Amino acid sequence: EAKQAGRNCSRYFLASMNQSLDERLNLESELRQALSAGQLQLHFQPKLALADARVLGMEVLLRWPHPVRGWVPPDRFIPVAEECGLINALDAWVLEAACRQLRDWAEAGLPGLQLSVNVSALRFVQDDVAAHVQQQLQRHGLQASQLTLEITERLMLDERGRPHEQLLALDAMGVRLSVDDFGTGYSSLSYLKRLPVSEIKLDKSFVRDLDSDPDDRALASAVISIGQALDLSVVAEGVETEAQRETLLRLGCRIGQGWLFGRPMDAQAMAQWLRSRERAPA
Ligand code: C2E
Ligand code: MG
Ligand code: MG
Ligand code: MG
């Protein structure tokens, strides 16, 4: 009987695996379609000085409004895109759309804004990101300093070859490089010495329980100290409460993003948000 149960169990297990494989294939073809049909959107989340709420820039976050599934979260479709080889096209589209948006905003009376764009580590292996960035900056008449690329520690593990050369080329151009989800990647820290990184982002998993969990506070404090010691900007992610803002400031972190200041919003809402702040400075 136990044997029988075991067999059923593994059959269920296989059935659910098949289902998730089916599900992945569906998601993959629907994502391809959405990309080519122009259904993907950029949203923007402000990045601010924690002390006085000065706006320092915005992070570009990809959004997929699916006609049936609703908003599919990036944590769900980005890994699928990475597995099926669609990530290059996807991230290339995001970069172009972000640059176009910067130009459109400049023409609409919001010049010189800064955008941070997430780029999958895989793209640096398969594609010439530096050349594409150069081309897009030129095409849209932008300064390199208006653009920051957010990459994860995964990329830093490979300290030779194509990715490394591209990071150096981007730095030489004047594009800023930021290490996203810092502290969650189990990688050595020595790359910070060798690669032209100018910002690290304190992962929101360290920020969430900052005021109740002494371990998280210790880890956040350690990350902030590393940043200060190496003269890097430290940006806290996921700042949701006033208490977190104060604790971060006390620990020496000066920049943050989070729902406390602004949720990710579409381009029109972002422009409105920026203009309303111009009129009523904090
Ligand atoms: P990330 O780059 O670390 O982005 C931060 C995530 O935190 C975003 O999730 C953002 O919406 C969310 N967030 C912002 N403020 C708060 C807050 O106060 N509380 C909480 N709980 N969350 C907050 P999102 O938009 O779902 O994106 C998830 C991840 O998907 C991103 O993490 C990034 O790794 C990836 N991603 C998004 N857009 C792109 C893209 O264009 N290309 C690539 N390769 N990856 C992307
Ligand atoms: Mg990011
Ligand atoms: Mg992050
Ligand atoms: Mg994160």
Side-chain angles (χ1 to χ4, degrees):
E1 222 174 76
K3 223 171 171 184
Q4 181 64 35
R7 257 201 305 275
N8 283 343
C9 222
S10 62
R11 202 171 304 137
Y12 279 122
F13 181 59
L14 284 174
S16 85
M17 277 188 27
N18 283 338
Q19 199 180 29
S20 77
L21 185 62
D22 269 3
E23 172 62 11
R24 272 182 112 74
L25 290 173
N26 285 339
L27 213 58
E28 176 190 331
S29 72
E30 289 167 15
L31 184 57
R32 265 181 217 288
Q33 233 174 329
L35 177 62
S36 63
Q39 286 162 357
L40 300 177
Q41 303 175 8
L42 301 188
H43 280 202
F44 304 86
Q45 184 181 39
K47 179 167 115 178
L48 302 94
L50 290 172
D52 59 8
R54 209 162 17 100
V55 183
L56 303 173
M58 290 155 274
E59 179 173 5
V60 176
L61 294 160
L62 186 54
R63 291 291 179 262
W64 180 13
H66 188 286
V68 179
R69 300 171 194 268
W71 297 92
V72 186
D75 285 333
R76 182 110 186 284
F77 68 79
I78 294 287
V80 172
E82 287 181 334
E83 264 174 45
C84 72
L86 193 59
I87 194 67
N88 284 342
L90 207 61
D91 276 351
W93 181 83
V94 170
L95 180 72
E96 296 187 22
C99 288
R100 203 179 317 125
Q101 187 62 66
L102 276 175
R103 190 202 50 200
D104 289 351
W105 274 334
E107 286 173 355
L110 292 166
L113 297 175
Q114 303 227 20
L115 286 185
S116 294
V117 175
N118 292 285
V119 184
S120 165
L122 272 185
R123 194 176 173 221
F124 282 88
V125 179
Q126 300 166 352
D127 221 349
D128 194 343
V129 181
H132 189 224
V133 165
Q134 174 87 288
Q135 177 206 31
Q136 290 305 312
L137 291 174
Q138 248 160 29
R139 170 173 302 169
H140 295 100
L142 305 172
Q143 301 295 316
S145 58
Q146 289 179 269
L147 201 61
T148 298
L149 299 189
E150 296 192 3
I151 45 203
T152 53
E153 287 176 324
R154 210 156 33 127
L155 184 66
M156 306 305 185
L157 288 174
D158 180 2
E159 290 193 43
R160 282 177 304 278
R162 241 167 116 69
H164 189 168
E165 280 159 27
Q166 292 183 51
L167 295 180
L168 296 176
L170 285 161
D171 180 57
M173 260 181 245
V175 172
R176 298 179 82 237
L177 299 172
S178 168
V179 182
D180 210 342
D181 306 336
F182 186 83
T184 63
Y186 308 104
S187 75
S188 133
L189 292 177
S190 60
Y191 69 82
L192 288 175
K193 229 168 38 176
R194 284 187 282 275
L195 291 174
V197 167
S198 54
E199 174 184 284
I200 55 182
K201 297 191 84 170
L202 177 64
D203 192 68
K204 57 177 180 288
S205 62
F206 301 126
V207 175
R208 194 184 49 218
D209 299 322
L210 201 54
D211 292 296
S212 54
D213 187 335
D215 290 345
D216 281 341
R217 195 156 51 240
L219 289 169
S221 173
V223 167
I224 294 163
S225 299
I226 289 172
Q228 286 174 334
L230 297 176
D231 204 19
L232 306 170
S233 310
V234 181
V235 180
E237 288 185 336
V239 185
E240 296 182 4
T241 68
E242 179 56 28
Q244 288 166 343
R245 186 187 74 90
E246 282 167 17
T247 302
L248 286 163
L249 270 174
R250 194 150 29 79
L251 295 176
C253 179
R254 290 196 288 264
I255 308 172
Q257 282 174 245
W259 298 343
L260 177 65
F261 310 110
R263 301 227 172 200
M265 48 195 131
D266 66 24
Q268 204 186 341
M270 189 71 231
Q272 232 162 48
W273 188 90
L274 289 167
R275 292 208 159 94
S276 72
R277 296 174 65 88
E278 272 176 4
R279 279 195 300 273

